[in-house]
Amino acid sequence: MDDILDGLNDAQRSAVVASDGPVLILAGAGSGKTKTLTHRIAYLLTEQGVWPNEILAVTFTNKAAREMRQRLWQIAGPTQASSSHTPPADQPPRSFMPWMGTFHGICVRILRRDGAAISIPSNFVIYDEDDRQGLIKQAMKQLSIGTDRLKPRAASAAISKAKNQLLSPSDYAASARFPFQQAVAEIYQLYEQLLADAGALDFDDLLLETVRLLRDHSAVRQRYQTQFKHILVDEYQDTNAAQYQIIKLLVNPCRNICVVGDDWQSIYSWRGADFTNILNFERDFPGALVVKLEQNYRSTGAILEAAGNVINKNQQRTDKTLWTAAGPGTPVQVQAAYDEAEEAYTIASQIATQVATGERDYSDFAVLYRTNAQSYAFERAFNQHRVPYQLVGGVRFYDRKEIKDILAYLRLIYQPNDRVSFSRIANVPTRGIGATSLEKFLIWQGTSGLDIISALVNASQAATLTKRAQTTLTQLGQLLRGFQAQVEAAADPSQLIDDVITKTGYRNYILDGSPQADDREANLSALLSDARAFASMPDFLEEVALMSSADQATGAHSVTLMTLHAAKGLEFPVVYMVGLEDGLFPSARALEEGPAALEEERRLCYVGMTRARQELYMSYAQSRLQFGSRSYNSPSRFLDDMGMSLSMVHTEPTTPVYDDALDEVMPYEVGDMVRSLQFGDGEVIDIDGMAVSVRFANGSTKKLNVQYARLEKITP
């Protein structure tokens, strides 16, 4: 027993040895919850004589399950396994392990074994999101519901939400009040029939059907209740309605259920998580023992104090007071920048300096942001400073589909013989141009002597094409010809991009009702905003090409860039939380939706802050380009929430900031030396209206819009 309890603090020991009845472990950030949960399982196996198959341990990720298995084998494996058959430490025997896995994994095992009771074949296949959308499109086609009326992604998201709320097709139809809901109800009904015909379940079905099985078949339910004498659930604050019901149905009259979680870190309501499940645990299981893990082993006192002050502003929460024996450490610092470019370049410079002096490794740093679109400024700045980085949970800015799509339009407009770009956008958004028609057109274009745009305009001459294809291609050609005229007239690149996004229907195309739609729109906004610094399309496309092809080392020695949501469960010596502005973080949507949404944003802020072990920097920009115009937001209210004396580091503006309201006064003359955050030092060699051509020290020449290019005049 001593071995099992070694290295545990008093609260952790209490949680481990409380083996009878319901137990709620409120585990603060960095308090060792995984360690506690693992030792509790080991205690049940070695000290209580519980058989492995009598324990059900549920995690939220396969990674967490693997980690728990390894830890469990290291703690209790040698005492439970025959010494003559002891496998390697990384391969614990299956017979030793409890039922352990994700909710979905556990449900698959149950349904394979007993699904026949509700007419689910044991050999059912599991459809992923792509499979689901394909089946939804099939259902929509059969129902004559066009994609102009309803986006398949939106229908998929609505059906997924319904299933996680345990709503059957008939339940959903009964509550459908609006045309969108009524259309989804039709699709949902047929979609379920198509799934059944295919002998398939989607991921949401794994939960929903397990609830139905356990709820409607008492013999099956009682057999699992008899088998699972102890149930343990990790990250209980992230359970949705279906997962909650599965646990309730599996708990037997002995009520030996132990849940671990932290309502302060509940940040997934957008995917159905209901943190009130953990708040209501004592109501669901009267007499439950509540153990609070409050000693933090990760962060300094200063970080915990600031994070605690933020989360304590929430009304719906449990009471905990995190503390550490590590001492106060470095004060939390707030950095103010003039705009998003200066924010990124300042941080890149700070990181590069610390690494150059040997104080830190690149891997010590993480930059956390609210939206994926914010990564662009940091990708640019890190490339400029030759700081290696890795994007976690996302793709590089110029590798994102919506960015590649719009750039393909721009390249084709600029170079109308670019077949690769044309092939990419020919049917994006969907125009009904099939692969066969596209192939026939390109063959005809290749023999016509015309460039692609000219050939499109004259597609009616392509005899191999159907009349419908000719008409569609001609319309596309006329649209692209109009964009060409804008380039020839030296139109502002940002205006051209905005026109492409709007006139092609691309904006409506990406706003498809999916959870990713807002991110896609924000990415296009970042591209649009960046283009405003350039006065010519060739310069902008050249810069994009250099950025997208820049060598970028990734791996162990690189800075981590990621969203706050993706950072949950991770930790870093130094964390930069960026974009702390009202309207960005907390998000504008949260501010509009009210207190509940704002409290979730505050929990997200807490999660981000508690990723830091030694140093935490919070930054905001006084102005930020969004959707092609400059906005001026207040510093985030979360900074005020900290309610403590923070170390403020204000970055003095290195360059002037302009906006649309300023008089068009050229502040430079030919021969002036200027400095650019993006390109370094250079000389003004030409002036054209509000555009300046600058020859930079690296030999490149850029034509820049002085209202947005952030140029600093260098005084001799």
Side-chain angles (χ1 to χ4, degrees), residues 186-432:
E186 289 185 73
I187 297 167
Y188 188 6
Q189 183 72 46
L190 180 55
Y191 169 72
E192 287 298 285
Q193 184 58 58
L194 294 173
L195 272 177
D197 292 345
L201 300 177
D202 63 28
F203 272 89
D204 296 318
D205 284 331
L206 298 176
L207 305 178
L208 179 63
E209 297 298 347
T210 301
V211 170
R212 187 161 71 93
L213 172 65
L214 297 174
R215 183 190 62 206
D216 298 345
H217 291 268
S218 58
V220 175
R221 181 176 66 252
Q222 289 170 8
R223 178 153 49 81
Y224 283 105
Q225 287 182 350
T226 300
Q227 176 179 344
F228 297 136
K229 293 181 170 55
H230 291 270
I231 297 175
L232 302 95
V233 186
D234 194 13
E235 304 286 7
Y236 194 65
Q237 79 280 350
D238 293 332
T239 51
N240 61 27
Q243 292 161 340
Y244 172 77
Q245 285 299 323
I246 290 169
I247 295 302
K248 291 269 292 189
L249 289 164
L250 287 173
V251 174
N252 62 34
C254 293
R255 304 191 308 156
N256 291 333
I257 177 171
C258 173
V259 303
V260 184
D262 184 8
D263 58 292
W264 294 7
Q265 298 186 71
S266 179
I267 57 175
Y268 298 122
S269 66
W270 49 274
R271 66 186 191 194
D274 184 357
F275 78 103
T276 63
N277 290 343
I278 196 169
L279 297 182
N280 294 332
F281 185 84
E282 293 177 86
R283 180 204 66 187
D284 295 336
F285 299 96
L289 172 67
V290 180
V291 181
K292 298 180 181 180
L293 305 185
E294 297 175 302
Q295 183 174 359
N296 178 282
Y297 295 93
R298 177 187 300 153
S299 305
T300 63
I303 293 170
L304 292 181
E305 182 182 2
N309 287 342
V310 170
I311 199 65
N312 284 331
K313 295 293 183 180
N314 276 1
Q315 297 300 308
Q316 279 199 295
R317 60 175 176 81
T318 56
D319 290 319
K320 296 189 294 292
T321 303
L322 265 61
W323 61 278
T324 178
T330 304
V332 176
Q333 296 188 20
V334 178
Q335 300 184 158
Y338 246 60
D339 64 8
E340 70 280 3
E342 190 167 86
E343 178 185 48
Y345 278 79
T346 298
I347 291 171
S349 178
Q350 290 173 349
I351 292 173
T353 299
Q354 290 194 58
V355 174
T357 58
E359 296 177 48
R360 297 269 184 197
D361 187 86
Y362 289 119
S363 60
D364 290 339
F365 299 92
V367 177
L368 310 182
Y369 36 78
R370 181 63 179 85
T371 67
N372 275 306
Q374 290 170 261
S375 78
Y376 175 59
F378 290 92
E379 291 183 63
R380 175 185 282 280
F382 284 7
N383 281 327
Q384 183 73 23
H385 285 81
R386 300 187 182 279
V387 172
Y389 68 88
Q390 58 177 337
L391 278 166
V392 177
V395 296
R396 292 176 62 189
F397 185 81
Y398 286 111
D399 290 334
R400 295 169 190 171
K401 179 182 182 304
E402 57 275 11
I403 300 300
K404 291 174 76 83
D405 287 345
I406 297 304
L407 290 177
Y409 272 105
L410 299 180
R411 291 188 181 108
L412 179 62
I413 294 163
Y414 183 63
Q415 173 45 268
N417 284 309
D418 184 352
R419 283 199 166 202
V420 172
S421 293
F422 172 66
S423 296
R424 182 176 186 95
I425 60 89
N427 207 35
V428 177
T430 304
R431 301 185 175 91

Side-chain angles (χ1 to χ4, degrees), residues 616-668:
L616 174 62
Y617 298 84
M618 320 280 282
S619 70
Y620 67 91
Q622 298 175 11
S623 70
R624 189 175 295 273
L625 275 171
Q626 294 180 299
F627 298 99
S629 61
R630 187 162 293 280
S631 62
Y632 297 86
N633 299 320
S634 302
S636 172
R637 62 195 64 200
F638 298 154
L639 297 174
D640 291 333
D641 286 346
M642 293 180 192
M644 58 187 292
S645 179
L646 300 169
S647 176
M648 172 64 79
V649 179
H650 186 83
T651 307
E652 292 297 323
T654 56
T655 58
V657 176
Y658 303 94
D659 71 30
D660 299 330
L662 293 177
D663 293 333
E664 293 192 353
V665 177
M666 173 54 67
Y668 310 109

